[in-house]
Each structure stands twice: as C-alpha cells, then as structure tokens.
Amino acid sequence: MPSAKTELIERIRCLDSSIEIEAVQNKTLTEREHNSIARMLRNGLAVVSFASLEDFIKKRSAEAMEDLSRCSISFSELPEKLQRAATYEVLSGLTYQLSLLEKEDKPSYIQQHALKIASTATPNFELSSHTFAHSQANISNTTIGDILKSFNVDDPWRQMSLMASNLGLTSALSLSEIFKSAALRRHKAAHVAGADIPSTDIKQFVKEAFAIAITFDALLSKAIQKLVENDDDFVRNGQKLNATSIKIRTIKRVDGKWKEYRDNINRAVRISSDLDTLQRGARQRALQAKELIVEFDENGVVSWWQCQ
C-alpha cells in the first residue's frame, strides 16, 4: 500500500501537469463552450487537489499512530495532549466514522478501536489510526495545529510557515491563512454553480500543498523520532519542537547543474551533472544527520522528500 507521502506527491504533481493542458485554459471570449468546459474542469481540480491534501493529513496521522505503537516508552510518558487524544477524545472520531458505515460493519469497527483504547492501560499499547482528523468530513487549520500541538510542537503554523519560507515554497505569508484560503476556494468550487477558479490559483496551490504537507510531516516525524529514541529532554522535560529543530537539505537544478544545499545558505555544498549520484549521496548524508531532505525537479516542482 503506498504511503501517504507517495500518494500526495503523485497527486499534486499530476495537478501541476493538468493545469497546463489546453482543456483547462480559457480561449477567446467567442469560444464560449470551450471556456465553460474549462471552468468546470478547473473547479473540479480545485476540489480534488484540496481533498488530496486533506487525505494526506488523515493518512499521515494514522501512520504516526502506527509508528508510536511500536515505540518502547510507556503510554504515560507520551505528551499529555497525545494521551488525551488517544483515549477519550478519539471517541468523537469513532462516532463520526460509525455514522458512515453500514449497520453490519459497525460492531467489528467499534470493537477493533475499543480494544486499542483499552490497550493504552497496558505496557504494549496500540493507538487507534483514527485518533486524529477523523471526527468530521473536512479538515480545518485548527485540526492540523492541534495534531502537532499533541506532539509538543510550539506554535505549529508559525513553525510550518518559517520552514516553508526557508524551502522557497512560500513567501512570508502564514501557511494557516493559505490553508484557509484554499479551503474557501474548494468550498466555492464545490457549492457555487457559477464559480470560476483561476488557473493561476490552482497552479499556486501546487507549491502551497507541498509546503503544508512537507512541513507538517517534518515536525510530526521529528517528534516521533524523539519519542521512539526515548529522548530524555523531549519525553520527560517538556522540550518543545520548532523550526530550528529541523535541519534542511535540498537538491535543485540551477544553471544547468544539480546542486545540493543545506539550510538557508545560498551557496551549494555539492554540484553535479549526474542527478542519481548526487541524490544517493545527499540522501545518505541527510539520513546520517537526521535532516529533512527535499528534492525539486528541473522545473522547480517538489519530486520527493524524506524526514529523518
């Protein structure tokens, strides 16, 4: 089964290609039928692209619960907000998910997740995959912030915005406001019959979706790493995570060469005409240094990332 990250990369890169095709571009005002079709197609892209980001948040959060279920620390040593989310707060998510199931599927579903809640009172706990982001149909900016707060991330959207800016995916704009604008655009495209979503907005969402997904994933992954490694400061002394907790390595195509960069330094640390060789080395260096590595294709679109 593909990971949440793999699915999102495929979907958002497909979105980037889709917005370039002739069928979604307006022609002259006299081409009324074509323009009407293009408008409907753009509205559909706006809906599906935002749904892809929501799906990533849900699936990545579920993966996080699986990762934590394999860690060696006791449930009582998890962050307090995470403990609450995995016990009684998860009930709202289970109640909503039950409402979507067929009658015959409800008993086994609730039994499965009730066992996981009960396991939090044992040494070998298993957290519900529906702990986060499953209590309603859509995800809000508050949902994303609350997930990261449960993992001791300080002021999550601010940290995500700082990282996105360092990656060159967004300017100084708040990612929280960007997410809310994208949600409103999705709502308009889905529910307003005469909506006309500009192609430029959809094109911009390619960078915005990657910015939100990568920074969310990086902070979540770093928190999980510290819990799995039983980091004393993080687990017992209340250490918070922020943007400076994560070192960044990137690969970009610049002036006809593939270049490797670290953090927000403009000078490349390595240059090569062979992408494969540079990738292998950079990924290994990022793994050893426990860094976030983000790779961009020749057009400057994210092609891959990994959080250590």
PDB file of all heavy atoms in Angstrom, residues 99-121:
ATOM      1  N   SER A  99     -20.996   6.651  11.795  1.00  0.00           N
ATOM      2  CA  SER A  99     -22.138   7.156  11.037  1.00  0.00           C
ATOM      3  C   SER A  99     -21.990   6.926   9.540  1.00  0.00           C
ATOM      4  O   SER A  99     -22.972   6.994   8.796  1.00  0.00           O
ATOM      5  CB  SER A  99     -22.334   8.653  11.313  1.00  0.00           C
ATOM      6  OG  SER A  99     -21.296   9.419  10.715  1.00  0.00           O
ATOM      7  N   LEU A 100     -20.781   6.631   9.088  1.00  0.00           N
ATOM      8  CA  LEU A 100     -20.527   6.428   7.664  1.00  0.00           C
ATOM      9  C   LEU A 100     -20.572   4.954   7.262  1.00  0.00           C
ATOM     10  O   LEU A 100     -20.562   4.638   6.076  1.00  0.00           O
ATOM     11  CB  LEU A 100     -19.148   6.995   7.300  1.00  0.00           C
ATOM     12  CG  LEU A 100     -18.890   8.468   7.650  1.00  0.00           C
ATOM     13  CD1 LEU A 100     -17.454   8.837   7.279  1.00  0.00           C
ATOM     14  CD2 LEU A 100     -19.879   9.388   6.961  1.00  0.00           C
ATOM     15  N   LEU A 101     -20.633   4.069   8.263  1.00  0.00           N
ATOM     16  CA  LEU A 101     -20.564   2.635   7.988  1.00  0.00           C
ATOM     17  C   LEU A 101     -21.933   2.010   7.830  1.00  0.00           C
ATOM     18  O   LEU A 101     -22.937   2.507   8.352  1.00  0.00           O
ATOM     19  CB  LEU A 101     -19.824   1.929   9.132  1.00  0.00           C
ATOM     20  CG  LEU A 101     -18.350   2.291   9.343  1.00  0.00           C
ATOM     21  CD1 LEU A 101     -17.804   1.576  10.575  1.00  0.00           C
ATOM     22  CD2 LEU A 101     -17.519   1.948   8.114  1.00  0.00           C
ATOM     23  N   GLU A 102     -21.949   0.897   7.116  1.00  0.00           N
ATOM     24  CA  GLU A 102     -23.156   0.088   7.042  1.00  0.00           C
ATOM     25  C   GLU A 102     -23.408  -0.559   8.406  1.00  0.00           C
ATOM     26  O   GLU A 102     -22.463  -0.811   9.172  1.00  0.00           O
ATOM     27  CB  GLU A 102     -23.001  -1.002   5.979  1.00  0.00           C
ATOM     28  CG  GLU A 102     -22.804  -0.485   4.561  1.00  0.00           C
ATOM     29  CD  GLU A 102     -24.041   0.236   4.025  1.00  0.00           C
ATOM     30  OE1 GLU A 102     -25.156  -0.055   4.513  1.00  0.00           O
ATOM     31  OE2 GLU A 102     -23.880   1.078   3.121  1.00  0.00           O
ATOM     32  N   LYS A 103     -24.671  -0.836   8.691  1.00  0.00           N
ATOM     33  CA  LYS A 103     -25.063  -1.353  10.003  1.00  0.00           C
ATOM     34  C   LYS A 103     -24.280  -2.603  10.381  1.00  0.00           C
ATOM     35  O   LYS A 103     -23.828  -2.755  11.529  1.00  0.00           O
ATOM     36  CB  LYS A 103     -26.568  -1.643  10.009  1.00  0.00           C
ATOM     37  CG  LYS A 103     -27.122  -2.057  11.357  1.00  0.00           C
ATOM     38  CD  LYS A 103     -28.631  -2.231  11.287  1.00  0.00           C
ATOM     39  CE  LYS A 103     -29.205  -2.635  12.644  1.00  0.00           C
ATOM     40  NZ  LYS A 103     -30.685  -2.793  12.589  1.00  0.00           N
ATOM     41  N   GLU A 104     -24.087  -3.500   9.423  1.00  0.00           N
ATOM     42  CA  GLU A 104     -23.420  -4.766   9.726  1.00  0.00           C
ATOM     43  C   GLU A 104     -21.921  -4.607  10.007  1.00  0.00           C
ATOM     44  O   GLU A 104     -21.283  -5.502  10.576  1.00  0.00           O
ATOM     45  CB  GLU A 104     -23.614  -5.775   8.583  1.00  0.00           C
ATOM     46  CG  GLU A 104     -23.094  -5.327   7.233  1.00  0.00           C
ATOM     47  CD  GLU A 104     -24.137  -4.563   6.412  1.00  0.00           C
ATOM     48  OE1 GLU A 104     -25.113  -4.042   7.007  1.00  0.00           O
ATOM     49  OE2 GLU A 104     -23.960  -4.484   5.190  1.00  0.00           O
ATOM     50  N   ASP A 105     -21.344  -3.468   9.600  1.00  0.00           N
ATOM     51  CA  ASP A 105     -19.912  -3.241   9.807  1.00  0.00           C
ATOM     52  C   ASP A 105     -19.604  -2.525  11.120  1.00  0.00           C
ATOM     53  O   ASP A 105     -18.438  -2.470  11.540  1.00  0.00           O
ATOM     54  CB  ASP A 105     -19.340  -2.424   8.647  1.00  0.00           C
ATOM     55  CG  ASP A 105     -19.419  -3.158   7.325  1.00  0.00           C
ATOM     56  OD1 ASP A 105     -19.321  -4.401   7.337  1.00  0.00           O
ATOM     57  OD2 ASP A 105     -19.593  -2.499   6.284  1.00  0.00           O
ATOM     58  N   LYS A 106     -20.610  -1.975  11.763  1.00  0.00           N
ATOM     59  CA  LYS A 106     -20.383  -1.150  12.955  1.00  0.00           C
ATOM     60  C   LYS A 106     -19.843  -1.920  14.156  1.00  0.00           C
ATOM     61  O   LYS A 106     -18.908  -1.441  14.813  1.00  0.00           O
ATOM     62  CB  LYS A 106     -21.667  -0.407  13.317  1.00  0.00           C
ATOM     63  CG  LYS A 106     -22.052   0.644  12.284  1.00  0.00           C
ATOM     64  CD  LYS A 106     -23.278   1.445  12.706  1.00  0.00           C
ATOM     65  CE  LYS A 106     -23.606   2.520  11.659  1.00  0.00           C
ATOM     66  NZ  LYS A 106     -24.715   3.388  12.072  1.00  0.00           N
ATOM     67  N   PRO A 107     -20.373  -3.105  14.490  1.00  0.00           N
ATOM     68  CA  PRO A 107     -19.851  -3.801  15.677  1.00  0.00           C
ATOM     69  C   PRO A 107     -18.358  -4.100  15.602  1.00  0.00           C
ATOM     70  O   PRO A 107     -17.614  -3.825  16.549  1.00  0.00           O
ATOM     71  CB  PRO A 107     -20.681  -5.097  15.709  1.00  0.00           C
ATOM     72  CG  PRO A 107     -21.952  -4.741  15.030  1.00  0.00           C
ATOM     73  CD  PRO A 107     -21.547  -3.802  13.924  1.00  0.00           C
ATOM     74  N   SER A 108     -17.896  -4.664  14.468  1.00  0.00           N
ATOM     75  CA  SER A 108     -16.479  -5.012  14.357  1.00  0.00           C
ATOM     76  C   SER A 108     -15.592  -3.763  14.383  1.00  0.00           C
ATOM     77  O   SER A 108     -14.486  -3.792  14.939  1.00  0.00           O
ATOM     78  CB  SER A 108     -16.227  -5.820  13.079  1.00  0.00           C
ATOM     79  OG  SER A 108     -16.579  -5.068  11.930  1.00  0.00           O
ATOM     80  N   TYR A 109     -16.074  -2.677  13.778  1.00  0.00           N
ATOM     81  CA  TYR A 109     -15.298  -1.434  13.765  1.00  0.00           C
ATOM     82  C   TYR A 109     -15.076  -0.920  15.182  1.00  0.00           C
ATOM     83  O   TYR A 109     -13.940  -0.630  15.585  1.00  0.00           O
ATOM     84  CB  TYR A 109     -16.008  -0.367  12.932  1.00  0.00           C
ATOM     85  CG  TYR A 109     -15.372   1.005  13.045  1.00  0.00           C
ATOM     86  CD1 TYR A 109     -14.266   1.346  12.273  1.00  0.00           C
ATOM     87  CD2 TYR A 109     -15.863   1.956  13.937  1.00  0.00           C
ATOM     88  CE1 TYR A 109     -13.664   2.593  12.384  1.00  0.00           C
ATOM     89  CE2 TYR A 109     -15.271   3.211  14.055  1.00  0.00           C
ATOM     90  CZ  TYR A 109     -14.182   3.517  13.282  1.00  0.00           C
ATOM     91  OH  TYR A 109     -13.592   4.759  13.406  1.00  0.00           O
ATOM     92  N   ILE A 110     -16.147  -0.816  15.955  1.00  0.00           N
ATOM     93  CA  ILE A 110     -16.019  -0.245  17.294  1.00  0.00           C
ATOM     94  C   ILE A 110     -15.277  -1.191  18.228  1.00  0.00           C
ATOM     95  O   ILE A 110     -14.534  -0.753  19.120  1.00  0.00           O
ATOM     96  CB  ILE A 110     -17.404   0.153  17.866  1.00  0.00           C
ATOM     97  CG1 ILE A 110     -17.232   1.198  18.980  1.00  0.00           C
ATOM     98  CG2 ILE A 110     -18.173  -1.049  18.339  1.00  0.00           C
ATOM     99  CD1 ILE A 110     -16.675   2.521  18.496  1.00  0.00           C
ATOM    100  N   GLN A 111     -15.428  -2.500  18.023  1.00  0.00           N
ATOM    101  CA  GLN A 111     -14.678  -3.466  18.834  1.00  0.00           C
ATOM    102  C   GLN A 111     -13.176  -3.321  18.591  1.00  0.00           C
ATOM    103  O   GLN A 111     -12.371  -3.348  19.530  1.00  0.00           O
ATOM    104  CB  GLN A 111     -15.142  -4.890  18.509  1.00  0.00           C
ATOM    105  CG  GLN A 111     -16.521  -5.221  19.056  1.00  0.00           C
ATOM    106  CD  GLN A 111     -17.105  -6.482  18.432  1.00  0.00           C
ATOM    107  OE1 GLN A 111     -16.539  -7.033  17.474  1.00  0.00           O
ATOM    108  NE2 GLN A 111     -18.233  -6.936  18.951  1.00  0.00           N
ATOM    109  N   GLN A 112     -12.817  -3.187  17.330  1.00  0.00           N
ATOM    110  CA  GLN A 112     -11.402  -3.052  16.967  1.00  0.00           C
ATOM    111  C   GLN A 112     -10.773  -1.830  17.627  1.00  0.00           C
ATOM    112  O   GLN A 112      -9.699  -1.915  18.234  1.00  0.00           O
ATOM    113  CB  GLN A 112     -11.278  -2.949  15.443  1.00  0.00           C
ATOM    114  CG  GLN A 112      -9.872  -2.633  14.957  1.00  0.00           C
ATOM    115  CD  GLN A 112      -9.838  -2.275  13.475  1.00  0.00           C
ATOM    116  OE1 GLN A 112     -10.848  -2.334  12.791  1.00  0.00           O
ATOM    117  NE2 GLN A 112      -8.675  -1.887  12.990  1.00  0.00           N
ATOM    118  N   HIS A 113     -11.464  -0.704  17.540  1.00  0.00           N
ATOM    119  CA  HIS A 113     -10.879   0.524  18.075  1.00  0.00           C
ATOM    120  C   HIS A 113     -11.025   0.612  19.593  1.00  0.00           C
ATOM    121  O   HIS A 113     -10.174   1.227  20.259  1.00  0.00           O
ATOM    122  CB  HIS A 113     -11.512   1.732  17.388  1.00  0.00           C
ATOM    123  CG  HIS A 113     -11.062   1.891  15.966  1.00  0.00           C
ATOM    124  ND1 HIS A 113      -9.908   2.554  15.620  1.00  0.00           N
ATOM    125  CD2 HIS A 113     -11.587   1.425  14.799  1.00  0.00           C
ATOM    126  CE1 HIS A 113      -9.749   2.512  14.308  1.00  0.00           C
ATOM    127  NE2 HIS A 113     -10.753   1.833  13.788  1.00  0.00           N
ATOM    128  N   ALA A 114     -12.052  -0.010  20.149  1.00  0.00           N
ATOM    129  CA  ALA A 114     -12.195  -0.042  21.607  1.00  0.00           C
ATOM    130  C   ALA A 114     -11.046  -0.836  22.240  1.00  0.00           C
ATOM    131  O   ALA A 114     -10.535  -0.467  23.308  1.00  0.00           O
ATOM    132  CB  ALA A 114     -13.539  -0.656  21.992  1.00  0.00           C
ATOM    133  N   LEU A 115     -10.634  -1.909  21.580  1.00  0.00           N
ATOM    134  CA  LEU A 115      -9.502  -2.687  22.075  1.00  0.00           C
ATOM    135  C   LEU A 115      -8.221  -1.853  22.096  1.00  0.00           C
ATOM    136  O   LEU A 115      -7.405  -1.959  23.020  1.00  0.00           O
ATOM    137  CB  LEU A 115      -9.301  -3.927  21.201  1.00  0.00           C
ATOM    138  CG  LEU A 115     -10.283  -5.083  21.415  1.00  0.00           C
ATOM    139  CD1 LEU A 115     -10.073  -6.159  20.355  1.00  0.00           C
ATOM    140  CD2 LEU A 115     -10.111  -5.679  22.807  1.00  0.00           C
ATOM    141  N   LYS A 116      -8.071  -1.014  21.082  1.00  0.00           N
ATOM    142  CA  LYS A 116      -6.873  -0.165  21.034  1.00  0.00           C
ATOM    143  C   LYS A 116      -6.898   0.887  22.144  1.00  0.00           C
ATOM    144  O   LYS A 116      -5.862   1.176  22.762  1.00  0.00           O
ATOM    145  CB  LYS A 116      -6.762   0.489  19.659  1.00  0.00           C
ATOM    146  CG  LYS A 116      -6.458  -0.511  18.547  1.00  0.00           C
ATOM    147  CD  LYS A 116      -6.309   0.154  17.193  1.00  0.00           C
ATOM    148  CE  LYS A 116      -5.982  -0.880  16.115  1.00  0.00           C
ATOM    149  NZ  LYS A 116      -5.803  -0.274  14.782  1.00  0.00           N
ATOM    150  N   ILE A 117      -8.058   1.452  22.408  1.00  0.00           N
ATOM    151  CA  ILE A 117      -8.164   2.414  23.507  1.00  0.00           C
ATOM    152  C   ILE A 117      -7.840   1.719  24.831  1.00  0.00           C
ATOM    153  O   ILE A 117      -7.093   2.248  25.664  1.00  0.00           O
ATOM    154  CB  ILE A 117      -9.568   3.039  23.550  1.00  0.00           C
ATOM    155  CG1 ILE A 117      -9.817   3.868  22.286  1.00  0.00           C
ATOM    156  CG2 ILE A 117      -9.727   3.919  24.792  1.00  0.00           C
ATOM    157  CD1 ILE A 117     -11.244   4.373  22.160  1.00  0.00           C
ATOM    158  N   ALA A 118      -8.402   0.533  25.027  1.00  0.00           N
ATOM    159  CA  ALA A 118      -8.156  -0.216  26.264  1.00  0.00           C
ATOM    160  C   ALA A 118      -6.688  -0.584  26.417  1.00  0.00           C
ATOM    161  O   ALA A 118      -6.157  -0.640  27.537  1.00  0.00           O
ATOM    162  CB  ALA A 118      -9.020  -1.475  26.280  1.00  0.00           C
ATOM    163  N   SER A 119      -5.990  -0.790  25.291  1.00  0.00           N
ATOM    164  CA  SER A 119      -4.586  -1.196  25.354  1.00  0.00           C
ATOM    165  C   SER A 119      -3.689  -0.100  25.915  1.00  0.00           C
ATOM    166  O   SER A 119      -2.559  -0.382  26.326  1.00  0.00           O
ATOM    167  CB  SER A 119      -4.088  -1.596  23.959  1.00  0.00           C
ATOM    168  OG  SER A 119      -3.844  -0.456  23.143  1.00  0.00           O
ATOM    169  N   THR A 120      -4.173   1.138  25.944  1.00  0.00           N
ATOM    170  CA  THR A 120      -3.349   2.225  26.493  1.00  0.00           C
ATOM    171  C   THR A 120      -3.140   2.074  27.995  1.00  0.00           C
ATOM    172  O   THR A 120      -2.303   2.770  28.571  1.00  0.00           O
ATOM    173  CB  THR A 120      -3.988   3.597  26.203  1.00  0.00           C
ATOM    174  OG1 THR A 120      -5.284   3.671  26.822  1.00  0.00           O
ATOM    175  CG2 THR A 120      -4.134   3.824  24.709  1.00  0.00           C
ATOM    176  N   ALA A 121      -3.886   1.158  28.630  1.00  0.00           N
ATOM    177  CA  ALA A 121      -3.699   0.875  30.055  1.00  0.00           C
ATOM    178  C   ALA A 121      -2.733  -0.278  30.279  1.00  0.00           C
ATOM    179  O   ALA A 121      -2.511  -0.700  31.414  1.00  0.00           O
ATOM    180  CB  ALA A 121      -5.043   0.561  30.708  1.00  0.00           C
TER     181      ALA A 121
END
